[in-house]
Amino acid sequence: MVLSGDAFESTCRAYGLVVHGAPRRVSERVWLIASDQGDVAMKGYASEHLTRASKEAALLSHLRNHPDPRFRVQTLLRTATGAPLFAGRGFHAMLTRWERGEFKTYDRFDPEAWRALGASLAALHLSLDRFNAPSMDTLRMRLGAIDVNQVRGALQQAAQRAGSRDDAAHLRRYVELSLRMIEQHYRGSIEAFPLDDPQRAIHNDYNQFNYLFPGTLPPIILDWEAAIGAPREYELVRCLNHLPLEAPRLAAAFVQAYRAVRAVRRENIAWAVDAACLQHAIKLWVVRGWFDDPNRFASHLAGAVAMASVMVDARARLIDFFYRCMDGCA
């Protein structure tokens, strides 16, 4: 996203900021601003993403208004007129206090960090039980919109397009794994969906890229724009990915900390495993990205292959892990 001078100046005026120096870009859509109100993070949204921006601002506002020491989120700033975000012409912006800390890869989390993350997720879910969401996409809607035959066809076409290219080994392997995982998990994710679940808000991107460790636990949970409504067991399974298979003791610490704060519906676990694993099988954005820019997406594709390689054929083991956690045997 390109930040024009006019967009930056109009945003700062809306918030009444006196800026010290030029903004510093820290990611594709986030800038650091030094101001008379301290350091500020500005997140930009394209004109067509006002609904997404409004949802993220509403979630942060709710979580700050219903604090719990077991979770931390960014502090939302409001415009001079009290609005939760700036809606401009062709550009929208949400401002929060700049948070300092360290990002870590999941293999650097110790058991205490996993416990803090599990308790944080449960506390966030409890708080979001009281969140009156604006119109929000739901997992049931997303699963129902999957044309599984189209997905299979797209994967098969990608493998054919790659042919015998020397640099396409990961792509061919991903296609193979994805097709197997679709067969193993698609029907269960659709047919066993818990229809009685209210599908309240979940973060939906609760992973190492959105945990900021400021030096004391719990970490700060960032980036709420992907939030959807879904059964909470789905996020419990989804955010752990292959950890129950790779490091079951650490995964168990997370699950047990979650359960100490919030109950888990045992009858949803098998479905949640299917729904979460299916998401690894339908990452067509990774495939398309690799064809468009192989160098940029090579690491994404390698990561997808590594994850799927562990999780394929592991349905029974994953379900058993979560059942054992609930029985206190993990």
Side-chain angles (χ1 to χ4, degrees), residues 97-134:
R97 296 288 180 198
W98 180 260
E99 303 288 355
R100 302 187 184 281
E102 178 187 8
F103 290 101
K104 302 179 183 180
T105 54
Y106 76 92
D107 56 314
R108 294 176 57 205
F109 301 172
D110 59 22
E112 186 179 4
W114 283 112
R115 283 190 287 270
L117 285 164
S120 284
L121 183 63
L124 286 165
H125 285 173
L126 286 177
S127 178
L128 292 172
D129 283 345
R130 297 171 285 172
F131 177 62
N132 295 318

PDB file of all heavy atoms in Angstrom, residues 97-134:
ATOM      1  N   ARG A  97      -1.601   2.880  20.154  1.00  0.00           N
ATOM      2  CA  ARG A  97      -0.319   3.140  20.807  1.00  0.00           C
ATOM      3  C   ARG A  97       0.726   2.167  20.258  1.00  0.00           C
ATOM      4  O   ARG A  97       0.434   0.994  20.041  1.00  0.00           O
ATOM      5  CB  ARG A  97      -0.425   2.955  22.319  1.00  0.00           C
ATOM      6  CG  ARG A  97      -1.355   3.928  23.016  1.00  0.00           C
ATOM      7  CD  ARG A  97      -0.771   5.314  23.070  1.00  0.00           C
ATOM      8  NE  ARG A  97      -1.667   6.250  23.738  1.00  0.00           N
ATOM      9  CZ  ARG A  97      -1.576   7.567  23.640  1.00  0.00           C
ATOM     10  NH1 ARG A  97      -0.616   8.114  22.874  1.00  0.00           N
ATOM     11  NH2 ARG A  97      -2.427   8.344  24.275  1.00  0.00           N
ATOM     12  N   TRP A  98       1.928   2.672  20.051  1.00  0.00           N
ATOM     13  CA  TRP A  98       3.009   1.802  19.576  1.00  0.00           C
ATOM     14  C   TRP A  98       3.458   0.902  20.717  1.00  0.00           C
ATOM     15  O   TRP A  98       3.805   1.372  21.808  1.00  0.00           O
ATOM     16  CB  TRP A  98       4.179   2.629  19.071  1.00  0.00           C
ATOM     17  CG  TRP A  98       5.312   1.782  18.572  1.00  0.00           C
ATOM     18  CD1 TRP A  98       6.458   1.460  19.234  1.00  0.00           C
ATOM     19  CD2 TRP A  98       5.388   1.125  17.305  1.00  0.00           C
ATOM     20  NE1 TRP A  98       7.248   0.648  18.462  1.00  0.00           N
ATOM     21  CE2 TRP A  98       6.619   0.422  17.267  1.00  0.00           C
ATOM     22  CE3 TRP A  98       4.540   1.062  16.202  1.00  0.00           C
ATOM     23  CZ2 TRP A  98       7.011  -0.327  16.174  1.00  0.00           C
ATOM     24  CZ3 TRP A  98       4.935   0.319  15.111  1.00  0.00           C
ATOM     25  CH2 TRP A  98       6.160  -0.358  15.096  1.00  0.00           C
ATOM     26  N   GLU A  99       3.431  -0.399  20.491  1.00  0.00           N
ATOM     27  CA  GLU A  99       3.829  -1.365  21.509  1.00  0.00           C
ATOM     28  C   GLU A  99       5.229  -1.870  21.196  1.00  0.00           C
ATOM     29  O   GLU A  99       5.540  -2.213  20.058  1.00  0.00           O
ATOM     30  CB  GLU A  99       2.848  -2.545  21.537  1.00  0.00           C
ATOM     31  CG  GLU A  99       1.395  -2.165  21.770  1.00  0.00           C
ATOM     32  CD  GLU A  99       1.116  -1.728  23.198  1.00  0.00           C
ATOM     33  OE1 GLU A  99       2.045  -1.812  24.045  1.00  0.00           O
ATOM     34  OE2 GLU A  99      -0.008  -1.297  23.471  1.00  0.00           O
ATOM     35  N   ARG A 100       6.054  -1.958  22.225  1.00  0.00           N
ATOM     36  CA  ARG A 100       7.420  -2.432  22.044  1.00  0.00           C
ATOM     37  C   ARG A 100       7.536  -3.873  22.544  1.00  0.00           C
ATOM     38  O   ARG A 100       6.930  -4.252  23.546  1.00  0.00           O
ATOM     39  CB  ARG A 100       8.407  -1.536  22.785  1.00  0.00           C
ATOM     40  CG  ARG A 100       8.328  -0.088  22.317  1.00  0.00           C
ATOM     41  CD  ARG A 100       9.416   0.784  22.919  1.00  0.00           C
ATOM     42  NE  ARG A 100       9.222   2.171  22.507  1.00  0.00           N
ATOM     43  CZ  ARG A 100       9.555   2.668  21.326  1.00  0.00           C
ATOM     44  NH1 ARG A 100      10.130   1.879  20.440  1.00  0.00           N
ATOM     45  NH2 ARG A 100       9.330   3.937  21.030  1.00  0.00           N
ATOM     46  N   GLY A 101       8.297  -4.644  21.833  1.00  0.00           N
ATOM     47  CA  GLY A 101       8.475  -6.029  22.221  1.00  0.00           C
ATOM     48  C   GLY A 101       9.204  -6.802  21.143  1.00  0.00           C
ATOM     49  O   GLY A 101       9.753  -6.237  20.195  1.00  0.00           O
ATOM     50  N   GLU A 102       9.193  -8.105  21.286  1.00  0.00           N
ATOM     51  CA  GLU A 102       9.945  -9.001  20.401  1.00  0.00           C
ATOM     52  C   GLU A 102       9.003 -10.029  19.784  1.00  0.00           C
ATOM     53  O   GLU A 102       8.126 -10.570  20.459  1.00  0.00           O
ATOM     54  CB  GLU A 102      11.028  -9.726  21.209  1.00  0.00           C
ATOM     55  CG  GLU A 102      11.845 -10.727  20.418  1.00  0.00           C
ATOM     56  CD  GLU A 102      12.780 -11.538  21.294  1.00  0.00           C
ATOM     57  OE1 GLU A 102      12.694 -11.442  22.539  1.00  0.00           O
ATOM     58  OE2 GLU A 102      13.597 -12.306  20.723  1.00  0.00           O
ATOM     59  N   PHE A 103       9.193 -10.269  18.508  1.00  0.00           N
ATOM     60  CA  PHE A 103       8.515 -11.389  17.853  1.00  0.00           C
ATOM     61  C   PHE A 103       9.433 -12.609  17.935  1.00  0.00           C
ATOM     62  O   PHE A 103      10.646 -12.495  17.772  1.00  0.00           O
ATOM     63  CB  PHE A 103       8.215 -11.064  16.391  1.00  0.00           C
ATOM     64  CG  PHE A 103       7.136 -10.022  16.220  1.00  0.00           C
ATOM     65  CD1 PHE A 103       7.462  -8.705  15.942  1.00  0.00           C
ATOM     66  CD2 PHE A 103       5.797 -10.366  16.349  1.00  0.00           C
ATOM     67  CE1 PHE A 103       6.485  -7.749  15.791  1.00  0.00           C
ATOM     68  CE2 PHE A 103       4.804  -9.416  16.206  1.00  0.00           C
ATOM     69  CZ  PHE A 103       5.143  -8.099  15.925  1.00  0.00           C
ATOM     70  N   LYS A 104       8.837 -13.770  18.189  1.00  0.00           N
ATOM     71  CA  LYS A 104       9.601 -15.002  18.301  1.00  0.00           C
ATOM     72  C   LYS A 104       8.958 -16.078  17.440  1.00  0.00           C
ATOM     73  O   LYS A 104       7.741 -16.101  17.273  1.00  0.00           O
ATOM     74  CB  LYS A 104       9.623 -15.511  19.757  1.00  0.00           C
ATOM     75  CG  LYS A 104      10.179 -14.558  20.786  1.00  0.00           C
ATOM     76  CD  LYS A 104      10.099 -15.190  22.174  1.00  0.00           C
ATOM     77  CE  LYS A 104      10.580 -14.255  23.261  1.00  0.00           C
ATOM     78  NZ  LYS A 104      10.488 -14.890  24.604  1.00  0.00           N
ATOM     79  N   THR A 105       9.776 -16.980  16.915  1.00  0.00           N
ATOM     80  CA  THR A 105       9.227 -18.154  16.256  1.00  0.00           C
ATOM     81  C   THR A 105       8.767 -19.143  17.326  1.00  0.00           C
ATOM     82  O   THR A 105       9.297 -19.159  18.444  1.00  0.00           O
ATOM     83  CB  THR A 105      10.271 -18.813  15.346  1.00  0.00           C
ATOM     84  OG1 THR A 105      11.457 -19.083  16.109  1.00  0.00           O
ATOM     85  CG2 THR A 105      10.621 -17.889  14.176  1.00  0.00           C
ATOM     86  N   TYR A 106       7.755 -19.950  16.984  1.00  0.00           N
ATOM     87  CA  TYR A 106       7.117 -20.801  17.989  1.00  0.00           C
ATOM     88  C   TYR A 106       8.091 -21.761  18.672  1.00  0.00           C
ATOM     89  O   TYR A 106       7.876 -22.159  19.819  1.00  0.00           O
ATOM     90  CB  TYR A 106       5.953 -21.568  17.355  1.00  0.00           C
ATOM     91  CG  TYR A 106       6.370 -22.736  16.496  1.00  0.00           C
ATOM     92  CD1 TYR A 106       6.473 -24.022  17.029  1.00  0.00           C
ATOM     93  CD2 TYR A 106       6.674 -22.556  15.148  1.00  0.00           C
ATOM     94  CE1 TYR A 106       6.866 -25.085  16.252  1.00  0.00           C
ATOM     95  CE2 TYR A 106       7.070 -23.625  14.364  1.00  0.00           C
ATOM     96  CZ  TYR A 106       7.161 -24.889  14.915  1.00  0.00           C
ATOM     97  OH  TYR A 106       7.564 -25.949  14.135  1.00  0.00           O
ATOM     98  N   ASP A 107       9.183 -22.122  17.991  1.00  0.00           N
ATOM     99  CA  ASP A 107      10.128 -23.056  18.594  1.00  0.00           C
ATOM    100  C   ASP A 107      10.939 -22.419  19.717  1.00  0.00           C
ATOM    101  O   ASP A 107      11.682 -23.117  20.420  1.00  0.00           O
ATOM    102  CB  ASP A 107      11.065 -23.633  17.520  1.00  0.00           C
ATOM    103  CG  ASP A 107      11.802 -22.549  16.735  1.00  0.00           C
ATOM    104  OD1 ASP A 107      11.153 -21.573  16.317  1.00  0.00           O
ATOM    105  OD2 ASP A 107      13.016 -22.688  16.541  1.00  0.00           O
ATOM    106  N   ARG A 108      10.775 -21.101  19.899  1.00  0.00           N
ATOM    107  CA  ARG A 108      11.474 -20.407  21.001  1.00  0.00           C
ATOM    108  C   ARG A 108      10.562 -20.177  22.204  1.00  0.00           C
ATOM    109  O   ARG A 108      10.992 -19.600  23.190  1.00  0.00           O
ATOM    110  CB  ARG A 108      12.021 -19.067  20.508  1.00  0.00           C
ATOM    111  CG  ARG A 108      13.122 -19.185  19.461  1.00  0.00           C
ATOM    112  CD  ARG A 108      13.519 -17.806  18.963  1.00  0.00           C
ATOM    113  NE  ARG A 108      13.940 -16.930  20.041  1.00  0.00           N
ATOM    114  CZ  ARG A 108      13.883 -15.590  19.996  1.00  0.00           C
ATOM    115  NH1 ARG A 108      13.416 -14.996  18.903  1.00  0.00           N
ATOM    116  NH2 ARG A 108      14.281 -14.857  21.010  1.00  0.00           N
ATOM    117  N   PHE A 109       9.306 -20.633  22.152  1.00  0.00           N
ATOM    118  CA  PHE A 109       8.398 -20.450  23.284  1.00  0.00           C
ATOM    119  C   PHE A 109       8.679 -21.526  24.327  1.00  0.00           C
ATOM    120  O   PHE A 109       8.709 -22.721  23.999  1.00  0.00           O
ATOM    121  CB  PHE A 109       6.939 -20.579  22.856  1.00  0.00           C
ATOM    122  CG  PHE A 109       6.474 -19.598  21.803  1.00  0.00           C
ATOM    123  CD1 PHE A 109       5.231 -19.740  21.233  1.00  0.00           C
ATOM    124  CD2 PHE A 109       7.270 -18.542  21.393  1.00  0.00           C
ATOM    125  CE1 PHE A 109       4.772 -18.852  20.270  1.00  0.00           C
ATOM    126  CE2 PHE A 109       6.831 -17.647  20.426  1.00  0.00           C
ATOM    127  CZ  PHE A 109       5.580 -17.805  19.863  1.00  0.00           C
ATOM    128  N   ASP A 110       8.846 -21.123  25.575  1.00  0.00           N
ATOM    129  CA  ASP A 110       8.995 -22.105  26.642  1.00  0.00           C
ATOM    130  C   ASP A 110       7.609 -22.488  27.170  1.00  0.00           C
ATOM    131  O   ASP A 110       6.602 -21.897  26.774  1.00  0.00           O
ATOM    132  CB  ASP A 110       9.899 -21.569  27.763  1.00  0.00           C
ATOM    133  CG  ASP A 110       9.369 -20.285  28.400  1.00  0.00           C
ATOM    134  OD1 ASP A 110       8.155 -20.019  28.296  1.00  0.00           O
ATOM    135  OD2 ASP A 110      10.165 -19.547  28.993  1.00  0.00           O
ATOM    136  N   PRO A 111       7.526 -23.489  28.044  1.00  0.00           N
ATOM    137  CA  PRO A 111       6.207 -23.912  28.542  1.00  0.00           C
ATOM    138  C   PRO A 111       5.410 -22.779  29.182  1.00  0.00           C
ATOM    139  O   PRO A 111       4.183 -22.722  29.035  1.00  0.00           O
ATOM    140  CB  PRO A 111       6.558 -25.005  29.564  1.00  0.00           C
ATOM    141  CG  PRO A 111       7.853 -25.571  29.069  1.00  0.00           C
ATOM    142  CD  PRO A 111       8.605 -24.393  28.508  1.00  0.00           C
ATOM    143  N   GLU A 112       6.097 -21.871  29.877  1.00  0.00           N
ATOM    144  CA  GLU A 112       5.391 -20.755  30.511  1.00  0.00           C
ATOM    145  C   GLU A 112       4.723 -19.873  29.458  1.00  0.00           C
ATOM    146  O   GLU A 112       3.590 -19.412  29.647  1.00  0.00           O
ATOM    147  CB  GLU A 112       6.368 -19.925  31.348  1.00  0.00           C
ATOM    148  CG  GLU A 112       5.702 -18.835  32.156  1.00  0.00           C
ATOM    149  CD  GLU A 112       6.670 -18.043  33.004  1.00  0.00           C
ATOM    150  OE1 GLU A 112       7.888 -18.290  32.909  1.00  0.00           O
ATOM    151  OE2 GLU A 112       6.212 -17.159  33.759  1.00  0.00           O
ATOM    152  N   ALA A 113       5.409 -19.642  28.343  1.00  0.00           N
ATOM    153  CA  ALA A 113       4.823 -18.831  27.274  1.00  0.00           C
ATOM    154  C   ALA A 113       3.613 -19.535  26.660  1.00  0.00           C
ATOM    155  O   ALA A 113       2.592 -18.899  26.372  1.00  0.00           O
ATOM    156  CB  ALA A 113       5.868 -18.544  26.208  1.00  0.00           C
ATOM    157  N   TRP A 114       3.718 -20.855  26.444  1.00  0.00           N
ATOM    158  CA  TRP A 114       2.574 -21.594  25.895  1.00  0.00           C
ATOM    159  C   TRP A 114       1.384 -21.544  26.844  1.00  0.00           C
ATOM    160  O   TRP A 114       0.233 -21.394  26.419  1.00  0.00           O
ATOM    161  CB  TRP A 114       2.965 -23.042  25.600  1.00  0.00           C
ATOM    162  CG  TRP A 114       3.777 -23.199  24.345  1.00  0.00           C
ATOM    163  CD1 TRP A 114       5.076 -23.572  24.249  1.00  0.00           C
ATOM    164  CD2 TRP A 114       3.327 -22.977  22.999  1.00  0.00           C
ATOM    165  NE1 TRP A 114       5.478 -23.600  22.932  1.00  0.00           N
ATOM    166  CE2 TRP A 114       4.425 -23.245  22.137  1.00  0.00           C
ATOM    167  CE3 TRP A 114       2.109 -22.585  22.439  1.00  0.00           C
ATOM    168  CZ2 TRP A 114       4.339 -23.127  20.758  1.00  0.00           C
ATOM    169  CZ3 TRP A 114       2.013 -22.467  21.055  1.00  0.00           C
ATOM    170  CH2 TRP A 114       3.124 -22.739  20.232  1.00  0.00           C
ATOM    171  N   ARG A 115       1.651 -21.646  28.141  1.00  0.00           N
ATOM    172  CA  ARG A 115       0.551 -21.550  29.106  1.00  0.00           C
ATOM    173  C   ARG A 115      -0.089 -20.162  29.063  1.00  0.00           C
ATOM    174  O   ARG A 115      -1.322 -20.030  29.114  1.00  0.00           O
ATOM    175  CB  ARG A 115       1.046 -21.884  30.516  1.00  0.00           C
ATOM    176  CG  ARG A 115       1.244 -23.380  30.749  1.00  0.00           C
ATOM    177  CD  ARG A 115       1.498 -23.683  32.211  1.00  0.00           C
ATOM    178  NE  ARG A 115       2.835 -23.257  32.631  1.00  0.00           N
ATOM    179  CZ  ARG A 115       3.913 -24.036  32.571  1.00  0.00           C
ATOM    180  NH1 ARG A 115       3.824 -25.268  32.099  1.00  0.00           N
ATOM    181  NH2 ARG A 115       5.080 -23.584  32.971  1.00  0.00           N
ATOM    182  N   ALA A 116       0.741 -19.135  28.973  1.00  0.00           N
ATOM    183  CA  ALA A 116       0.204 -17.772  28.908  1.00  0.00           C
ATOM    184  C   ALA A 116      -0.632 -17.569  27.654  1.00  0.00           C
ATOM    185  O   ALA A 116      -1.684 -16.908  27.681  1.00  0.00           O
ATOM    186  CB  ALA A 116       1.346 -16.754  28.957  1.00  0.00           C
ATOM    187  N   LEU A 117      -0.181 -18.138  26.543  1.00  0.00           N
ATOM    188  CA  LEU A 117      -0.931 -18.008  25.293  1.00  0.00           C
ATOM    189  C   LEU A 117      -2.254 -18.759  25.363  1.00  0.00           C
ATOM    190  O   LEU A 117      -3.278 -18.282  24.849  1.00  0.00           O
ATOM    191  CB  LEU A 117      -0.084 -18.526  24.127  1.00  0.00           C
ATOM    192  CG  LEU A 117       1.051 -17.597  23.689  1.00  0.00           C
ATOM    193  CD1 LEU A 117       2.050 -18.356  22.817  1.00  0.00           C
ATOM    194  CD2 LEU A 117       0.488 -16.392  22.933  1.00  0.00           C
ATOM    195  N   GLY A 118      -2.254 -19.930  25.999  1.00  0.00           N
ATOM    196  CA  GLY A 118      -3.502 -20.672  26.140  1.00  0.00           C
ATOM    197  C   GLY A 118      -4.494 -19.947  27.021  1.00  0.00           C
ATOM    198  O   GLY A 118      -5.688 -19.843  26.685  1.00  0.00           O
ATOM    199  N   ALA A 119      -4.032 -19.424  28.151  1.00  0.00           N
ATOM    200  CA  ALA A 119      -4.921 -18.675  29.036  1.00  0.00           C
ATOM    201  C   ALA A 119      -5.410 -17.399  28.369  1.00  0.00           C
ATOM    202  O   ALA A 119      -6.580 -17.001  28.539  1.00  0.00           O
ATOM    203  CB  ALA A 119      -4.191 -18.349  30.345  1.00  0.00           C
ATOM    204  N   SER A 120      -4.528 -16.748  27.591  1.00  0.00           N
ATOM    205  CA  SER A 120      -4.933 -15.527  26.882  1.00  0.00           C
ATOM    206  C   SER A 120      -6.042 -15.809  25.882  1.00  0.00           C
ATOM    207  O   SER A 120      -7.016 -15.062  25.782  1.00  0.00           O
ATOM    208  CB  SER A 120      -3.733 -14.907  26.157  1.00  0.00           C
ATOM    209  OG  SER A 120      -2.881 -14.241  27.051  1.00  0.00           O
ATOM    210  N   LEU A 121      -5.890 -16.890  25.125  1.00  0.00           N
ATOM    211  CA  LEU A 121      -6.913 -17.210  24.131  1.00  0.00           C
ATOM    212  C   LEU A 121      -8.256 -17.472  24.807  1.00  0.00           C
ATOM    213  O   LEU A 121      -9.299 -16.989  24.351  1.00  0.00           O
ATOM    214  CB  LEU A 121      -6.487 -18.425  23.308  1.00  0.00           C
ATOM    215  CG  LEU A 121      -7.448 -18.804  22.181  1.00  0.00           C
ATOM    216  CD1 LEU A 121      -7.545 -17.690  21.151  1.00  0.00           C
ATOM    217  CD2 LEU A 121      -7.018 -20.097  21.508  1.00  0.00           C
ATOM    218  N   ALA A 122      -8.236 -18.221  25.891  1.00  0.00           N
ATOM    219  CA  ALA A 122      -9.483 -18.508  26.595  1.00  0.00           C
ATOM    220  C   ALA A 122     -10.109 -17.233  27.157  1.00  0.00           C
ATOM    221  O   ALA A 122     -11.325 -17.034  27.061  1.00  0.00           O
ATOM    222  CB  ALA A 122      -9.226 -19.504  27.718  1.00  0.00           C
ATOM    223  N   ALA A 123      -9.286 -16.357  27.732  1.00  0.00           N
ATOM    224  CA  ALA A 123      -9.810 -15.107  28.285  1.00  0.00           C
ATOM    225  C   ALA A 123     -10.351 -14.209  27.182  1.00  0.00           C
ATOM    226  O   ALA A 123     -11.375 -13.523  27.362  1.00  0.00           O
ATOM    227  CB  ALA A 123      -8.717 -14.388  29.077  1.00  0.00           C
ATOM    228  N   LEU A 124      -9.691 -14.188  26.040  1.00  0.00           N
ATOM    229  CA  LEU A 124     -10.198 -13.423  24.902  1.00  0.00           C
ATOM    230  C   LEU A 124     -11.550 -13.974  24.452  1.00  0.00           C
ATOM    231  O   LEU A 124     -12.483 -13.211  24.179  1.00  0.00           O
ATOM    232  CB  LEU A 124      -9.200 -13.476  23.749  1.00  0.00           C
ATOM    233  CG  LEU A 124      -7.944 -12.618  23.926  1.00  0.00           C
ATOM    234  CD1 LEU A 124      -6.867 -13.026  22.922  1.00  0.00           C
ATOM    235  CD2 LEU A 124      -8.276 -11.136  23.760  1.00  0.00           C
ATOM    236  N   HIS A 125     -11.662 -15.287  24.383  1.00  0.00           N
ATOM    237  CA  HIS A 125     -12.941 -15.894  23.992  1.00  0.00           C
ATOM    238  C   HIS A 125     -14.038 -15.532  24.989  1.00  0.00           C
ATOM    239  O   HIS A 125     -15.178 -15.240  24.588  1.00  0.00           O
ATOM    240  CB  HIS A 125     -12.792 -17.402  23.890  1.00  0.00           C
ATOM    241  CG  HIS A 125     -12.069 -17.846  22.667  1.00  0.00           C
ATOM    242  ND1 HIS A 125     -11.697 -19.168  22.453  1.00  0.00           N
ATOM    243  CD2 HIS A 125     -11.640 -17.161  21.575  1.00  0.00           C
ATOM    244  CE1 HIS A 125     -11.082 -19.257  21.284  1.00  0.00           C
ATOM    245  NE2 HIS A 125     -11.026 -18.064  20.738  1.00  0.00           N
ATOM    246  N   LEU A 126     -13.730 -15.541  26.280  1.00  0.00           N
ATOM    247  CA  LEU A 126     -14.731 -15.163  27.276  1.00  0.00           C
ATOM    248  C   LEU A 126     -15.170 -13.716  27.083  1.00  0.00           C
ATOM    249  O   LEU A 126     -16.367 -13.406  27.136  1.00  0.00           O
ATOM    250  CB  LEU A 126     -14.165 -15.354  28.687  1.00  0.00           C
ATOM    251  CG  LEU A 126     -14.028 -16.786  29.197  1.00  0.00           C
ATOM    252  CD1 LEU A 126     -13.383 -16.778  30.571  1.00  0.00           C
ATOM    253  CD2 LEU A 126     -15.389 -17.479  29.259  1.00  0.00           C
ATOM    254  N   SER A 127     -14.216 -12.834  26.867  1.00  0.00           N
ATOM    255  CA  SER A 127     -14.558 -11.426  26.654  1.00  0.00           C
ATOM    256  C   SER A 127     -15.396 -11.254  25.402  1.00  0.00           C
ATOM    257  O   SER A 127     -16.366 -10.480  25.377  1.00  0.00           O
ATOM    258  CB  SER A 127     -13.285 -10.577  26.547  1.00  0.00           C
ATOM    259  OG  SER A 127     -13.604  -9.225  26.300  1.00  0.00           O
ATOM    260  N   LEU A 128     -15.053 -11.987  24.352  1.00  0.00           N
ATOM    261  CA  LEU A 128     -15.758 -11.841  23.081  1.00  0.00           C
ATOM    262  C   LEU A 128     -17.135 -12.484  23.101  1.00  0.00           C
ATOM    263  O   LEU A 128     -17.925 -12.265  22.174  1.00  0.00           O
ATOM    264  CB  LEU A 128     -14.905 -12.420  21.950  1.00  0.00           C
ATOM    265  CG  LEU A 128     -13.624 -11.625  21.664  1.00  0.00           C
ATOM    266  CD1 LEU A 128     -12.738 -12.367  20.675  1.00  0.00           C
ATOM    267  CD2 LEU A 128     -13.940 -10.225  21.158  1.00  0.00           C
ATOM    268  N   ASP A 129     -17.447 -13.234  24.159  1.00  0.00           N
ATOM    269  CA  ASP A 129     -18.830 -13.685  24.318  1.00  0.00           C
ATOM    270  C   ASP A 129     -19.773 -12.491  24.432  1.00  0.00           C
ATOM    271  O   ASP A 129     -20.958 -12.599  24.101  1.00  0.00           O
ATOM    272  CB  ASP A 129     -18.970 -14.540  25.582  1.00  0.00           C
ATOM    273  CG  ASP A 129     -18.439 -15.959  25.395  1.00  0.00           C
ATOM    274  OD1 ASP A 129     -18.231 -16.373  24.238  1.00  0.00           O
ATOM    275  OD2 ASP A 129     -18.235 -16.640  26.417  1.00  0.00           O
ATOM    276  N   ARG A 130     -19.239 -11.361  24.906  1.00  0.00           N
ATOM    277  CA  ARG A 130     -20.066 -10.161  25.107  1.00  0.00           C
ATOM    278  C   ARG A 130     -19.914  -9.151  23.982  1.00  0.00           C
ATOM    279  O   ARG A 130     -20.415  -8.022  24.084  1.00  0.00           O
ATOM    280  CB  ARG A 130     -19.680  -9.500  26.429  1.00  0.00           C
ATOM    281  CG  ARG A 130     -19.944 -10.367  27.655  1.00  0.00           C
ATOM    282  CD  ARG A 130     -19.342  -9.765  28.906  1.00  0.00           C
ATOM    283  NE  ARG A 130     -17.892  -9.930  28.931  1.00  0.00           N
ATOM    284  CZ  ARG A 130     -17.090  -9.372  29.828  1.00  0.00           C
ATOM    285  NH1 ARG A 130     -17.590  -8.590  30.773  1.00  0.00           N
ATOM    286  NH2 ARG A 130     -15.794  -9.594  29.790  1.00  0.00           N
ATOM    287  N   PHE A 131     -19.231  -9.538  22.922  1.00  0.00           N
ATOM    288  CA  PHE A 131     -18.997  -8.614  21.814  1.00  0.00           C
ATOM    289  C   PHE A 131     -20.191  -8.622  20.869  1.00  0.00           C
ATOM    290  O   PHE A 131     -20.563  -9.654  20.319  1.00  0.00           O
ATOM    291  CB  PHE A 131     -17.734  -9.019  21.055  1.00  0.00           C
ATOM    292  CG  PHE A 131     -17.441  -8.168  19.841  1.00  0.00           C
ATOM    293  CD1 PHE A 131     -17.199  -6.813  19.968  1.00  0.00           C
ATOM    294  CD2 PHE A 131     -17.405  -8.739  18.581  1.00  0.00           C
ATOM    295  CE1 PHE A 131     -16.927  -6.030  18.861  1.00  0.00           C
ATOM    296  CE2 PHE A 131     -17.127  -7.975  17.465  1.00  0.00           C
ATOM    297  CZ  PHE A 131     -16.893  -6.613  17.609  1.00  0.00           C
ATOM    298  N   ASN A 132     -20.801  -7.458  20.704  1.00  0.00           N
ATOM    299  CA  ASN A 132     -21.898  -7.311  19.758  1.00  0.00           C
ATOM    300  C   ASN A 132     -21.306  -6.942  18.407  1.00  0.00           C
ATOM    301  O   ASN A 132     -21.023  -5.778  18.126  1.00  0.00           O
ATOM    302  CB  ASN A 132     -22.882  -6.238  20.233  1.00  0.00           C
ATOM    303  CG  ASN A 132     -23.579  -6.632  21.518  1.00  0.00           C
ATOM    304  OD1 ASN A 132     -23.989  -7.778  21.672  1.00  0.00           O
ATOM    305  ND2 ASN A 132     -23.705  -5.690  22.452  1.00  0.00           N
ATOM    306  N   ALA A 133     -21.087  -7.960  17.598  1.00  0.00           N
ATOM    307  CA  ALA A 133     -20.344  -7.788  16.360  1.00  0.00           C
ATOM    308  C   ALA A 133     -21.166  -7.051  15.315  1.00  0.00           C
ATOM    309  O   ALA A 133     -22.370  -7.257  15.205  1.00  0.00           O
ATOM    310  CB  ALA A 133     -19.935  -9.146  15.813  1.00  0.00           C
ATOM    311  N   PRO A 134     -20.485  -6.178  14.539  1.00  0.00           N
ATOM    312  CA  PRO A 134     -21.112  -5.731  13.302  1.00  0.00           C
ATOM    313  C   PRO A 134     -21.206  -6.944  12.379  1.00  0.00           C
ATOM    314  O   PRO A 134     -20.769  -8.031  12.732  1.00  0.00           O
ATOM    315  CB  PRO A 134     -20.117  -4.698  12.755  1.00  0.00           C
ATOM    316  CG  PRO A 134     -18.812  -5.064  13.382  1.00  0.00           C
ATOM    317  CD  PRO A 134     -19.131  -5.661  14.715  1.00  0.00           C
TER     318      PRO A 134
END
